[in-house]
Amino acid sequence: MYRRRILSKSHLDIFALSAYLLISGLLLAFSTGGFALDFKSMGFSVMSGAQRGVFSLTSFVSGSITAVRELSELRTKYEELTEKLSDYELLQRNNVDIRLENERLKTLLGFAQTLETKNIFSQVVGRDPNNQYSGITLDRGSKDGVRKNMPVIAFQGSNIGLVGKVVQVGRTTSLVMPVFDYQCFVSVRFVRSRFEGLVNGQGSPDSPLIMKYVKKRAREEIQEGDVISTSGENYLYPKDIPVGFVSKIRGLEYETSLDIEIESIIDFSRLEHVFILDTTISAEGDD
Amino acid sequence: MTRVVLWTVLTVFFVSLFQATILTNISFLPAIPDIVLLVVLYVSFTNTSMTGSTIGFISGLLMDFLSAAPIGYNAMTKAITGFISGRFSGSFNMNKVILPVCLAFAGTFLKVLITAVLTVFFKKGIIPYDLLSSEFWLELIVNMACAPLVFGVLGLFPSLFTVDSRVAE
């Protein structure tokens, strides 16, 4: 009796595991091969919406903590300055902070206005929880006009650079596949010598991008430091968006093309704000 | 079992958001610790393989929604991990440090092994681990380092994460 009960419990375990494996296998088959029902999209909408909520909450908490800390610092300084009757210094500092923030926002606004295509300003709210994947979650979704495969760019310092493309869109959030992802391929061209190639990531923002299929005769015309930009050939990415610069050139005797290491223009560890480009509409609103 | 599954799913929901939103932005962390994996290992090891595979499947599914990985990848790896971990339930005494570290080590390697097998069947979208890369070893180290802490915290709430043995029988 006891043995039979143990046996049936053991079978129940295996039955449950088999059911889970079957369901997850089917989901995998659908998500890798394409299926009418997009489970991933539905789940992404729910989970990333919650992720955005957690991000807002943590921003609020960290903002509040910073505000409390700054308040206590200001109080100390105020007491010192009251003695010296120099409130002016405090006001001036506040002015400097506001001016700096204003300048930063103006720069971003200026960049946004210089773009020829319609763009959606967005903030990074999360990154992939799996180490071998590299998705970046943004706080704009289908509600804001974001669609799958839209290119994403960013401004850092005075540089504009390609970030990647949108691969998943939720109601209020979207997921971007960055250029350093294993599965990201971008058709590019040397800005100076105009030779073409294909750039692919190595899965880590710290590893260089690899540019392949560059004709061997280009060896004499390219050098380290040369800038490469999107060629615009597959219509996915607009033409002439800088991607990176050459850091190393490799070419084996028996191969007909060169392998070139590219350092991305974008520093992904500092990435905060991006622009999602709607290439179907120009900045003036023409289709 | 239902109570344990519900509490674990609730915990994993917040842990996966914490992992994706906060841990990924901590620059001094060499790799993102797989806290969800550690929760699955703890709950399955202190319960049964049935509970382990169930919470592994649901937890993995939640993670799939937040990741660029194809849906079903985390669900499958964590369901198998939970099942196997549950099979060893009661085989060893729950030590505060050594057992969690060993389980994290075995769980991470099992994930690598399952991922490698999945790449054979689902070539598109599944990225295998590179055993020679620093990313893998760093993840293994941070998982092992976090395991005693995660197990310790979950161990504070036995009524939420452990099925009463009399009820289980």
Side-chain angles (χ1 to χ4, degrees), chain B residues 77-94:
Chain B
T77 54
K78 288 194 170 48
I80 296 171
T81 307
F83 178 81
I84 294 174
S85 174
R87 280 273 161 171
F88 287 99
S89 175
S91 306
F92 305 98
N93 286 328
M94 185 59 98

Side-chain angles (χ1 to χ4, degrees), chain B residues 95-165:
Chain B
N95 179 283
K96 282 186 175 168
V97 179
I98 298 169
L99 190 68
V101 170
C102 291
L103 274 177
F105 178 85
T108 311
F109 260 105
L110 187 61
K111 184 168 78 165
V112 173
L113 184 70
I114 299 165
T115 307
V117 173
L118 285 177
T119 53
V120 177
F121 296 103
F122 306 98
K123 282 196 168 66
K124 194 184 159 196
I126 305 279
I127 300 172
Y129 276 90
D130 181 2
L131 288 180
L132 300 176
S133 72
S134 59
E135 281 87 2
F136 163 69
W137 291 101
L138 289 171
E139 184 183 335
L140 182 70
I141 290 166
V142 291
N143 282 352
M144 287 163 69
C146 291
L149 183 69
V150 174
F151 279 46
V153 171
L154 296 177
L156 296 175
F157 309 98
S159 59
L160 302 183
F161 299 109
T162 313
V163 177
D164 190 327
S165 57

Side-chain angles (χ1 to χ4, degrees), chain A residues 100-168:
Chain A
L100 280 173
E101 191 180 354
N102 196 12
E103 276 171 14
R104 196 170 60 83
L105 291 172
K106 260 187 182 172
T107 315
L108 281 172
L109 184 67
F111 280 134
Q113 284 171 346
T114 57
L115 292 171
E116 288 173 6
T117 47
K118 189 195 166 198
N119 56 78
I120 302 158
F121 182 67
S122 181
Q123 190 178 3
V124 174
V125 293
R127 288 165 203 263
D128 210 300
N130 288 306
N131 281 308
Q132 78 268 43
Y133 291 89
S134 45
I136 297 172
T137 312
L138 304 179
D139 68 343
R140 291 282 184 272
S142 59
K143 191 167 72 83
D144 309 289
V146 180
R147 292 190 307 278
K148 199 175 172 181
N149 287 330
M150 279 184 166
V152 180
I153 61 164
F155 293 99
Q156 277 184 342
S158 56
N159 295 323
I160 175 178
L162 185 70
V163 172
K165 67 171 181 177
V166 176
V167 289
Q168 191 82 46

